[in-house]
């Protein structure tokens, strides 16, 4: 059954207060670091003081001898796991690499890499114990920059890393883990037919997800080997799977509990602390709590890749793009697995191109292993391609929206990465941008306007949801999806819509790994789509069961009962003249009509609809200081159907804000020793509130018919356009093409001076 | 395990006695907005913390003979709310209002900002430009020290063991005087100055500048005065030629470093830009 007709909807599309809101604003919500268990120990990590070094020896004897220290673990306390691809998190991950990222084995690969951990009775004793661990290093040359790491003769991180995706495969190890290619048609021939060609080289810096809550967990392993994990993550089934593998345990012996999560943005789709706390708890028989500092978060978690994007576009005089090519080089951090593949797949997906080629390189260097970050890879590659589109529009003398309209992907367009697109809403975002008053508003001195678009796949996947009718007619929902963007509200709303009851009658919770069916993590903008599908189906089953129960009460056939406005009613005059039975009426009598009324549905949701967005950005630049002020920002997005419009707008605004930070100020600054020099929010500059204008979110609704309510993922695509939208606005204000992010004041002032 | 003692003396003499007799590292706590952060990060490991806020008169602002006495532990939010001080020294007040966030403003102090001895301290160039004097108390009594003589290098001050700042004196402003402070940061708030400029000046009835004092922050190991810049604008109506000379003079005294907050080249150029802009603001405020 579908609910695609918006006019029929009573709950979906309204803006009720979120069920988790009061706890969050009053401080009652329990986040990762709020958990505590009796007898709990404090776990702390010793981190590498070198960017690249061989671990010669680790002497833990002095630390162990300190009073109050209960355990010290190193890689020797973890199984040495063979190479095996994991499909647990978001993006590629190898269990062996993850194990070695969690605890360095043989070598440290970045400054801040974990080398040992202690469990002690107090934080002070744990700190003292860390200082007593004697690690002997043999320091190795290191490489930070992606293109330096690709050069012959660069320090090699992994002697067993041979570039995949090239024939023949190299016989010498290098830092290039993989080469990927996506192509349609004959690009080289097509460029020869172009009237106009633009070429550019663009770079982005690694940026952190910058979730406000640092990683935290409490792990307790019993004498019988039964473990319980409380942690902040985007998927407790993911936490369970990784910990089981890294510690050599069975899944059924681990119960992973979701805590409230203070932001993830993709960065909490893998584990750092949980396996370490588990090893410490196993040794001590006591619960172990580990909490990262912000400095730990910067030195050892996330970020997403920095990248180099070389773009070439060829077009006819009328703006028709005849050929497009991009070469992407992405930093993976210390282990392979940058999002270069989705970077390749997304960067031209807004356009209907017959001849296109995208080549990507996944490159390791002595930085923390990258983690997923909101539309992984797409903002980086799209910064290059959408900056190039702006250059093309300038060269053709064409309006940038017209150029995009001329080449826009539409239903039936075959994307370079394979599929033929359906039910997409890209053109409507461009039309809405063109018609928006923002696009024609006058600009002042030193002001400029930029436009950019973006694409993100969105995914479905495995999700479970259960719906329970309580004895009084209220309803409880359990899902396996940690709520990072208001998903409890949207689940409750979809359930309420199906049952015909007010949303406030439905209470949603996130269940742990033992209380709800398997659910893939919260990522890929999949929860409203996939978990929403499971919840909708579970609610429909409950509704069907309610009709059966009403039929029993009335002693008529179930087919003779209809469900209308939250009530069972006789289907017609022939069914009998019964008064309607409310959900509560039926619930109260459940024991007499067959017992509890519940349903649990698990799905592997297919058919997620891709997201498209077009953003308009106005900036004012101070030519003397290089300071860029974002004056006005409008983000237009096809959202399928906004289940809770406020949270969709929140996603759009949040993504745009993060993208603006990426464009203007966020960067990792490494010193000559290969150490990160700005591991804190003072000098790693995410935008503060006063940096931002009000971001106007414009929702276009082109429903996805493969979801009962037409929902599409909305959380990721809004971070894709801002990088180029800002750079294109700066170009418009100054005439300067800022091809290297961030467009920080010193860089922009230097560009003015160089002109 | 290390230990840390805390004491809150209730008189200047008691505080001086404790500081002078302290074994190991003693740290003064006024607002604590730098000290607590340093304690948490492990950057400082004091043996004793001496909280000065219980000393009578150390918090608050008094108007004396047309000038102002600002207690060393007065929170910057109190400074920002003082109408008389805001009218007489808008530059000092706006500089002190830039320290930290709204929450930090409720605690942070001018003395703390000065004695933390960061080249980037926001209130210091403004105080220097305004000819502020620090009243230093210690074992050998009380002395008045021009603010520019307190900081001797990053993290270092001229205060001797047992000494601390009790209050600041701002002189009675001459008629048609005013001041201004500008800083550059890469975002709009919650940041540390890449360059800071304090300008104080006086004009005559015709709008000609008769006196000026300019101080820069974050462009050298300590805050620096720009006497050539002052000379360049004295006698002018702050015309373009005078401003260009001021810009050049400000750039000439810079001796910055390249670090994560800015390059040498950028800091020098911005010092010139902000000197011009701050002078223009002060000039307008003075009635020029």
């Amino acid at each position: 059954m579908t609910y695609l007709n918006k006019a029929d909807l009573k709950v979906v599309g309204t803006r009720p207060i979120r069920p988790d809101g009061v706890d969050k604003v009053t401080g009652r919500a329990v986040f990762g670091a709020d958990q505590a268990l009796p007898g709990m120990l404090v776990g702390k990590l010793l981190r590498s003081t070198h960017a690249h070094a061989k671990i010669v020896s680790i002497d833990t004897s002095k630390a162990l001898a300190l009073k109050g220290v209960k355990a010290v673990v190193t890689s020797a306390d973890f199984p040495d796991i063979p190479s095996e691809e994991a499909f647990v998190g978001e993006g590629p991950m190898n269990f062996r690499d993850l194990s070695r990222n969690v605890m360095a084995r043989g070598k440290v690969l970045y400054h801040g890499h974990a080398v040992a951990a202690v469990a002690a009775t107090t934080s002070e004793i744990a700190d003292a114990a860390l200082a007593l661990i004697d690690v002997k290093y043999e320091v190795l040359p290191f490489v930070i920059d992606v293109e330096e790491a690709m050069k012959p003769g660069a320090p090699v991180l992994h002697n067993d890393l041979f570039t995949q995706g090239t024939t023949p495969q190299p016989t010498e190890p290098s830092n290039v883990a993989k080469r990927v290619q996506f192509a349609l048609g004959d690009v080289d021939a097509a460029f020869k037919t172009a009237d106009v060609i633009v070429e550019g080289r663009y770079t982005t810096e690694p940026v952190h997800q910058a979730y406000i809550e640092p990683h935290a967990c409490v792990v307790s392993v019993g004498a019988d080997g039964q473990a319980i994990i409380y942690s902040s993550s985007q998927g407790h089934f993911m936490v369970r799977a990784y910990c089981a593998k890294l510690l050599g345990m069975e899944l059924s012996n681990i119960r992973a509990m979701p805590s409230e999560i203070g932001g993830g943005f993709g960065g909490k789709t893998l584990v750092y602390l949980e396996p370490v706390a588990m090893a410490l708890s196993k040794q001590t028989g006591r619960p172990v709590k580990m909490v990262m500092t912000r400095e730990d978060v910067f030195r050892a978690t996330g970020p997403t890749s920095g990248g180099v994007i070389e773009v070439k576009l060829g077009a006819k005089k009328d703006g028709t793009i005849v050929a497009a090519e991009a070469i992407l080089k992405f930093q993976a951090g210390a282990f392979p697995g940058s999002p270069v593949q989705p970077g390749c797949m997304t960067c031209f997906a807004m356009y209907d191109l017959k001849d296109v080629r995208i080549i990507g390189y996944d490159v390791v260097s002595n930085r923390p292993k990258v983690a997923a970050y909101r539309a992984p890879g797409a903002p980086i590659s799209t910064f290059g391609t959408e900056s190039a589109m702006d250059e093309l529009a300038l060269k053709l003398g064409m309006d940038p929206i017209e150029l995009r309209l001329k080449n826009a992907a539409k239903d039936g367009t075959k994307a370079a990465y394979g599929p033929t697109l359906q039910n997409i809403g890209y053109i409507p975002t461009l039309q809405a941008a063109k018609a928006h008053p923002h696009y024609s508003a006058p600009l002042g001195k030193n002001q400029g306007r930029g436009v950019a678009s973006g694409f993100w796949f969105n995914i479905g996947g495995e999700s479970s949801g259960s719906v329970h009718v309580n004895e009084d007619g209220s309803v409880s929902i359990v899902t396996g999806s940690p709520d990072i963007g208001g998903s409890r509200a949207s689940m409750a709303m979809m359930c309420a819509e199906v049952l015909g009851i007010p949303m406030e009658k439905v209470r949603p919770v996130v269940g742990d790994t033992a209380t709800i069916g398997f659910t893939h993590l919260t990522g890929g903008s999949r929860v409203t789509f996939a978990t929403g599908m499971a919840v909708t189906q579970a609610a429909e089953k409950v509704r069907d069961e309610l009709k059966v129960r009403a039929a029993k009460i009335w002693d008529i056939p179930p087919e003779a009962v209809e469900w209308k406005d939250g009530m069972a009613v006789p289907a017609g005059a022939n069914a009998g003249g019964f008064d309607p039975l409310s959900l509560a009426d039926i619930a109260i009598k459940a024991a007499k009509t067959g017992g509890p009324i519940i349903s649990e549905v698990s799905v592997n949701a297919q058919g997620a609809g891709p997201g498209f967005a077009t953003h308009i950005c106005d900036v004012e630049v101070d030519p003397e200081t290089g300071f860029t002020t974002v004056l006005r920002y409008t983000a237009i997005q096809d959202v399928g159907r906004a289940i809770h419009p406020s949270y969709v707008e929140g996603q759009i605004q949040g993504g745009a804000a993060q993208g603006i930070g990426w464009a203007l100020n966020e960067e990792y600054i490494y010193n000559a020793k290969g150490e990160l020099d700005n591991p804190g929010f003072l000098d790693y500059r995410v935008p503060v509130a006063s940096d931002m204008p009000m971001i106007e979110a414009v929702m276009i609704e082109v429903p996805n018919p493969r979801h009962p309510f037409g929902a599409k993922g909305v959380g990721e695509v809004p971070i894709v356009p801002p990088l180029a939208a800002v750079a294109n606005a700066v170009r418009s204000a100054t005439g300067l093409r800022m091809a290297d992010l961030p467009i920080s004041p010193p860089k922009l002032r230097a560009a003015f001076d160089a002109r | 395990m290390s230990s840390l003692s805390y004491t809150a003396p209730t008189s200047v003499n008691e505080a001086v006695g404790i500081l002078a007799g302290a074994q190991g590292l003693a740290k003064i706590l006024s607002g604590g907005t730098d000290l607590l952060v340093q304690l948490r990060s492990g950057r400082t490991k004091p043996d004793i913390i001496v909280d000065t806020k219980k000393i009578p008169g150390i918090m608050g602002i008094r108007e004396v003979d047309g000038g102002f006495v600002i207690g060393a532990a007065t929170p910057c939010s109190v400074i920002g709310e003082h109408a008389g001080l805001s009218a007489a020294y808008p530059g000092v007040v706006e500089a002190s209002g830039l320290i930290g966030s709204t929450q930090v403003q409720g605690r942070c102090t001018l003395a703390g900002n000065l004695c933390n001895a960061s080249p980037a301290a926001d209130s210091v160039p403004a105080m220097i430009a305004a000819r502020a004097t620090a009243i230093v108390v210690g074992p050998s009594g009380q002395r008045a020290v021009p603010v520019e003589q307190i900081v001797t290098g990053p993290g270092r001050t001229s205060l001797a063991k047992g000494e601390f700042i009790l209050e600041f004196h701002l002189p009675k402003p001459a008629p048609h005087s005013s001041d201004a402070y500008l800083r550059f940061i890469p975002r709009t708030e919650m940041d540390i100055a890449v360059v800071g400029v304090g300008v104080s000046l006086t004009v005559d009835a015709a709008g000609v500048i008769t006196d000026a004092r300019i101080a820069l922050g974050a462009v050298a190991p300590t805050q620096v005065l720009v006497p050539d810049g002052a000379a360049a604008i004295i006698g002018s109506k702050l015309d373009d030629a005078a401003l260009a000379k001021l810009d050049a003079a400000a750039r000439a005294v810079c001796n910055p470093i390249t670090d994560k907050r800015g390059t040498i080249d950028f800091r020098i150029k911005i010092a010139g830009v902000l000197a011009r802009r701050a002078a223009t603001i002060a000039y307008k405020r003075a009635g020029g």
Side-chain angles (χ1 to χ4, degrees), chain A residues 624-650:
Chain A
E624 288 193 315
T625 63
F627 190 93
T628 300
T629 304
V630 179
L631 298 172
R632 186 172 180 181
Y633 203 96
T634 304
I636 301 151
Q637 185 173 323
D638 169 28
V639 302
R641 172 75 71 227
I643 306 297
H644 192 307
S646 297
Y647 303 145
V648 174
E649 288 162 355

Side-chain angles (χ1 to χ4, degrees), chain A residues 526-670:
Chain A
R526 62 175 291 281
V527 170
T528 307
F529 180 74
T531 309
M533 202 182 276
V535 166
T536 302
Q537 290 179 17
E540 286 172 341
K541 285 191 172 183
V542 160
R543 188 183 59 195
D544 292 343
E545 181 62 20
L546 288 164
K547 288 198 282 183
V548 169
R549 301 300 178 92
K552 271 193 184 161
I553 293 167
W554 288 331
D555 197 20
I556 61 173
E559 308 85 67
V561 180
E562 277 186 358
W563 192 259
K564 211 174 164 195
D565 297 333
M567 306 260 197
V569 293
N574 292 341
F578 304 105
D579 287 340
L581 285 170
S582 71
L583 197 154
D585 296 335
I586 302 168
I588 289 161
K589 292 182 178 151
K592 290 178 186 160
T593 57
I597 301 167
I598 66 163
S599 171
E600 179 165 338
V601 170
S602 292
V603 298
N604 187 359
Q606 304 297 314
F612 289 87
T614 299
H615 292 191
I616 312 168
C617 173
D618 288 1
V619 300
E620 180 169 322
V621 172
D622 182 338
E624 288 193 315
T625 63
F627 190 93
T628 300
T629 304
V630 179
L631 298 172
R632 186 172 180 181
Y633 203 96
T634 304
I636 301 151
Q637 185 173 323
D638 169 28
V639 302
R641 172 75 71 227
I643 306 297
H644 192 307
S646 297
Y647 303 145
V648 174
E649 288 162 355
Q651 289 289 329
I652 293 171
Q653 291 165 332
Q658 286 184 315
I660 291 169
W662 199 334
L664 288 179
N665 269 318
E666 293 181 40
E667 63 180 320
Y668 274 41
I669 302 166
Y670 277 87

Side-chain angles (χ1 to χ4, degrees), chain A residues 18 20 24 260-261 481-489 510 522:
Chain A
R18 63 196 292 164
D20 48 315
K24 282 179 176 162
E260 212 50 74
I261 173 169
S481 296
D483 180 357
I484 62 173
S487 61
R488 273 171 293 203
V510 183
T522 299

Side-chain angles (χ1 to χ4, degrees), chain A residues 79 123 196 247 251 306 382 495 558 560 573 611 627-628 652 671 693 727:
Chain A
S123 181
V196 171
L247 276 298
L251 291 173
T382 306
C495 177
F627 190 93
T628 300
I652 293 171
N671 65 23

Side-chain angles (χ1 to χ4, degrees), chain B residues 16 30 44 75 85 102 133 136 144 156 164 174 231 256 260 268 279:
Chain B
V16 168
S30 54
T44 185
L85 187 62
T102 301
T133 310
V136 175
R156 293 199 313 274
F164 67 95
K260 59 195 171 190
I268 291 173

Side-chain angles (χ1 to χ4, degrees), chain B residues 12-263:
Chain B
V12 170
N13 283 346
E14 188 190 350
V16 168
I18 293 165
L19 287 167
Q23 303 291 311
L25 181 63
K27 280 279 184 185
I28 291 173
L29 173 76
S30 54
T33 55
D34 284 313
L35 180 61
L36 265 68
V37 175
Q38 289 165 9
L39 282 174
R40 276 192 75 157
S41 72
R43 215 175 102 200
T44 185
K45 289 189 166 63
D47 298 281
I48 183 166
I49 289 176
V50 182
D51 184 345
T52 57
K53 289 194 291 295
K54 299 280 195 307
I55 297 170
I58 203 164
M59 289 170 84
I61 301 166
R62 306 191 303 278
E63 209 165 334
V64 179
D65 301 333
F68 296 88
V69 177
I70 305 171
T74 308
C76 286
S77 58
V78 173
I79 293 172
E81 288 165 4
H82 195 280
L85 187 62
S86 298
Y89 287 101
V92 171
V93 172
E94 71 194 349
S96 66
L98 288 172
I99 302 166
S101 60
T102 301
Q103 293 90 331
V104 168
Q105 282 281 305
R107 279 274 168 188
C108 66
T109 67
L110 293 181
N113 198 223
L114 177 62
C115 294
N116 187 49
S118 161
D122 280 308
S123 66
V124 181
M127 284 201 287
I128 293 172
R131 295 190 173 88
T133 310
I135 304 304
V136 175
V137 290
S140 44
Q142 183 169 316
R143 60 195 178 103
V145 185
V147 164
E148 60 269 30
Q149 290 176 20
I150 297 288
V151 178
T152 55
R156 293 199 313 274
T157 70
S158 59
L159 298 185
K161 185 174 165 74
E163 285 190 326
F164 67 95
I165 295 175
L166 182 65
E167 58 200 24
F168 293 96
H169 291 185
L170 282 166
K172 179 185 178 180
H176 307 297
S177 295
S178 196
D179 66 344
Y181 176 77
L182 283 180
R183 68 170 181 184
F184 184 83
I185 55 172
R187 53 186 167 198
T188 49
E189 59 178 325
M190 303 287 290
D191 218 320
I192 289 178
V194 177
V195 175
V197 180
V199 175
S200 170
L201 52 76
T202 306
V203 298
D204 66 14
V208 174
I209 297 172
T210 57
D211 185 26
R213 206 164 138 90
I214 297 144
L216 302 181
V219 293
T222 66
Q223 287 73 20
V224 284
L225 279 158
V226 193
D228 291 350
I233 61 172
I234 290 172
S236 83
K237 289 185 172 180
L238 212 60
D239 52 90
D240 288 349
L243 286 169
K245 279 187 207 160
L246 169 60
D247 186 322
R251 280 184 278 126
V253 300
C254 292
N255 177 27
I257 54 168
T258 288
D259 69 3
K260 59 195 171 190
R261 298 197 182 118
T263 59

Side-chain angles (χ1 to χ4, degrees), chain A residues 67 377 519 604-605:
Chain A
K67 189 170 157 42
T519 301
N604 187 359

